[in-house]
C-alpha cells in the first residue's frame, strides 16, 4: 500500500485557550509521522469552528495564515453541536481529498500519540480504527455513571456501540464515501461507523485532564446526544411500549373477568377505591411516559422530514 495522506479534523467550540497549542502539537505529530515515512507530507489539519463566541476563529485564521497548506478550517454560522461539527469536518476533508482522517477533540484530552497506532492499523487494512479509552479517571462521578448507563442501555437496545469509545477514531476514505450516501441528518457517528460493516479494530489510549478551559458539554447537551443516539439507532423502545400496552390490556381483561365472576358467583362487588386510584395514577403515568418516548421518535421523523441542512458554513479556509 502507498503511504496514506492523513487528515486530522477537530471540532472547536469556544476553545480560544486550547486551539493554538493543540494545532501546534498536532503539527508536531504530523511532522513526526512524515519523518517516519508513515504519512505523506501534504497531510493536514482541518478545524471546524462550531459557532464560537470567543476568539477561536481569530486564532484559527492566524494559524491558517502561518501554515496555509497544513491548517485548513471551516466556520459555522452558529453553534450546531459537536456531532454536526464532526460531520462537517469529515465532509470537508473528503472534499479536499485524503486517504484517512482522524477526529480528535480540541482540548487534546485524548492521547495524540495514539494517532500513530491508528495509522499503523489503517495501513494494515482496517477502514475504521476506534479509539477506546483506558479508564475514566478524569471524568466526574456523574459523567462516569451516566456514560456507563448510556453504553449499557444502547447495547441492550441493540445498537452495538463500543464501550468507552468517544469520537476519537480514524476512518478511511471508503468509510467517508459511504457516509456521504447517508442523507439522514441525525447521524450518531459513534454507532454509525461501527455498524457500516467495514473492517474495524480498536486501539486503547489514555485520557488526560483538559489542559485549559472547561467542558463544552452540559447536562442538557449530553442528554440530547444520548436521546439522539437512542432514537436514531433503535426502535426497541417503541416495541417495548407496544409490549407493555398489550400486557396491560391482558391484565385489565383478567381483572374484569375476576370482577364479573365474583359478582355472579358470590354477589360480591369488590370495593377498592385506593387500588383504583393507585392503578389509575400508575397507568396514567406510564401512558404519558410512553407517549413521550413516541414523541421523541416523531420529533426525529419531523426533523428528518424537514430536511434542513445539517449546518450552514460561513467561511472555509483551504
Ligand atoms: N464541541 C463542539 N460543539 C459543541 C460542544 C463541543 O464542537 O457544541 C467540541 C469541543 O470544542 C471539543 C469537543 O467537541 O473539541 C469535545 O468537547 P469537550 O472536550 O468539551 O467534551 P468532554 O471532553 O467534556 O466530553
Ligand atoms: Mg474534552
Amino acid at each position: 500500500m502507498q503511504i496514506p495522506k492523513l487528515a486530522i479534523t477537530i471540532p472547536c467550540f469556544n476553545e480560544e485557550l486550547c486551539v493554538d497549542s493543540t494545532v501546534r502539537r498536532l503539527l508536531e505529530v504530523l511532522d513526526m509521522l512524515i519523518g517516519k515515512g508513515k504519512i505523506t507530507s501534504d497531510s493536514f489539519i482541518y478545524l471546524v469552528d462550531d459557532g464560537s463566541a470567543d476568539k477561536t476563529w481569530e486564532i484559527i485564521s492566524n494559524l491558517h495564515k502561518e501554515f496555509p497548506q497544513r491548517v485548513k478550517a471551516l466556520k459555522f454560522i452558529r453553534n450546531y453541536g459537536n456531532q454536526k461539527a464532526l460531520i462537517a469536518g469529515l465532509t470537508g476533508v473528503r472534499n479536499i481529498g485524503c486517504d484517512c482522517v482522524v477526529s480528535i477533540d480540541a482540548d487534546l484530552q485524548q492521547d495524540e500519540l495514539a494517532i500513530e497506532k491508528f495509522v499503523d492499523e489503517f495501513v494494515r487494512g482496517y477502514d475504521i480504527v476506534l479509539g477506546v479509552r483506558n479508564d475514566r479517571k478524569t471524568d466526574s462521578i456523574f459523567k462516569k455513571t451516566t456514560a456507563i448507563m448510556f453504553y449499557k442501555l444502547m447495547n441492550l437496545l441493540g445498537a452495538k456501540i463500543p464501550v468507552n469509545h468517544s469520537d476519537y477514531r480514524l476512518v478511511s476514505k471508503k468509510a467517508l464515501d459511504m457516509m456521504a450516501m447517508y442523507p439522514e441528518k441525525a447521524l450518531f457517528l459513534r454507532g454509525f461507523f461501527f455498524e457500516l460493516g467495514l473492517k474495524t479494530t480498536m486501539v486503547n489510549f489514555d485520557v488526560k485532564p483538559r489542559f485549559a478551559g472547561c467542558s463544552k458539554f452540559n447536562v442538557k447537551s449530553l442528554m440530547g446526544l444520548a436521546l439522539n443516539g437512542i432514537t436514531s439507532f433503535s426502535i426497541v423502545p417503541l416495541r417495548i411500549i407496544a409490549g407493555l400496552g398489550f400486557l396491560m390490556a391482558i391484565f385489565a381483561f383478567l381483572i374484569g373477568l375476576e370482577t364479573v365472576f365474583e359478582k355472579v358467583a358470590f354477589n360480591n362487588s369488590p370495593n377498592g377505591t385506593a387500588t383504583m386510584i393507585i392503578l389509575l395514577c400508575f397507568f396514567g403515568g406510564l401512558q404519558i411516559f410512553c407517549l413521550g418516548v413516541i414523541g421523541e421518535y416523531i420529533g426525529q421523523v419531523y426533523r428528518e422530514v424537514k430536511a434542513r441542512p445539517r449546518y450552514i458554513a460561513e467561511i472555509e479556509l483551504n
Side-chain angles (χ1 to χ4, degrees):
M1 188 191 224
Q2 277 183 331
I3 304 176
K5 174 174 175 185
L6 173 72
I8 300 181
T9 182
I10 316 170
C12 309
F13 178 52
N14 293 340
E15 298 285 7
E16 60 182 3
L17 297 175
C18 293
V19 71
D20 189 75
S21 35
T22 296
V23 168
R24 285 173 202 283
R25 175 72 193 119
L26 289 174
L27 285 174
E28 281 171 26
V29 174
L30 285 183
D31 282 335
M32 186 263 288
L33 294 174
I34 294 168
K36 287 188 180 176
K38 291 196 172 181
I39 57 173
T40 60
S41 56
D42 56 351
S43 298
F44 62 97
I45 296 177
Y46 190 87
L47 299 132
V48 179
D49 179 356
D50 186 10
S52 301
D54 63 2
K55 292 212 173 70
T56 304
W57 183 250
E58 208 180 306
I59 299 169
I60 292 177
S61 314
N62 289 335
L63 283 163
H64 174 68
K65 271 188 213 126
E66 197 177 335
F67 310 100
Q69 298 305 318
R70 314 189 69 194
V71 177
K72 302 165 194 277
L74 183 77
K75 178 177 167 42
F76 279 179
I77 202 153
R78 68 164 167 86
N79 179 250
Y80 285 93
N82 142 292
Q83 289 292 298
K84 300 283 160 46
L86 277 167
I87 295 174
L90 298 174
T91 313
V93 301
R94 176 173 180 261
N95 293 340
I96 294 172
C98 63
D99 298 308
C100 53
V101 49
V102 170
S103 49
I104 189 166
D105 288 351
D107 53 11
L108 275 200
Q109 278 192 277
Q110 297 122 330
D111 179 14
E112 66 278 6
L113 290 173
I115 293 176
E116 182 170 2
K117 294 186 206 150
F118 286 12
V119 173
D120 289 344
E121 294 297 333
F122 172 72
V123 172
R124 236 169 253 148
Y126 287 98
D127 279 295
I128 313 274
V129 187
L130 304 173
V132 176
R133 48 200 294 172
N134 282 329
D135 58 50
R136 290 188 162 263
K137 269 197 296 241
T138 55
D139 275 357
S140 65
I141 296 199
F142 174 75
K143 197 157 179 194
K144 212 181 292 185
T145 25
T146 46
I148 291 172
M149 271 164 53
F150 173 71
Y151 287 117
K152 286 254 154 70
L153 182 68
M154 283 303 284
N155 283 305
L156 233 120
L157 295 180
K160 291 189 181 38
I161 296 184
V163 175
N164 283 346
H165 161 57
S166 54
D167 281 308
Y168 186 29
R169 73 177 84 77
L170 175 144
V171 304
S172 65
K173 184 176 171 300
K174 192 162 155 199
L176 291 181
D177 291 344
M178 286 170 85
M179 189 182 99
M181 292 193 273
Y182 282 68
E184 61 188 88
K185 302 288 181 283
L187 274 186
F188 183 65
L189 295 175
R190 278 174 217 191
F192 175 76
F193 284 119
F194 199 59
E195 289 219 334
L196 276 182
L198 291 170
K199 244 184 119 186
T200 303
T201 185
M202 296 183 198
V203 164
N204 285 311
F205 69 90
D206 285 320
V207 182
K208 301 171 270 186
R210 204 175 224 282
F211 74 86
C214 56
S215 174
K216 302 299 179 290
F217 279 105
N218 49 33
V219 176
K220 195 172 150 234
S221 52
L222 280 174
M223 281 276 289
L225 185 68
L227 270 178
N228 180 31
I230 294 172
T231 51
S232 69
F233 247 90
S234 167
I235 56 160
V236 172
L238 295 180
R239 298 219 172 111
I240 295 177
I241 287 177
L244 264 180
F246 183 69
L247 283 182
M248 257 192 263
I250 298 225
F251 178 69
F253 179 71
L254 291 179
I255 300 253
L257 270 187
E258 203 253 354
T259 315
V260 172
F261 176 72
E262 285 218 17
K263 180 79 189 163
V264 173
F266 310 109
N267 197 18
N268 194 357
S269 321
N271 181 5
T273 321
T275 325
M276 284 291 292
I277 292 175
I278 292 168
L279 284 179
L280 214 71
C281 290
F282 176 69
F283 288 121
L286 200 63
Q287 274 177 4
I288 293 172
F289 171 75
C290 293
L291 275 179
V293 175
I294 295 171
E296 279 297 323
Y297 283 93
I298 296 182
Q300 190 77 271
V301 173
Y302 174 64
R303 280 191 294 271
E304 294 291 340
V305 148
K306 275 194 294 188
R308 290 186 175 174
R310 284 186 180 130
Y311 49 81
I312 294 178
E314 207 177 346
I315 311 174
E316 184 166 25
L317 303 175
N318 90 41

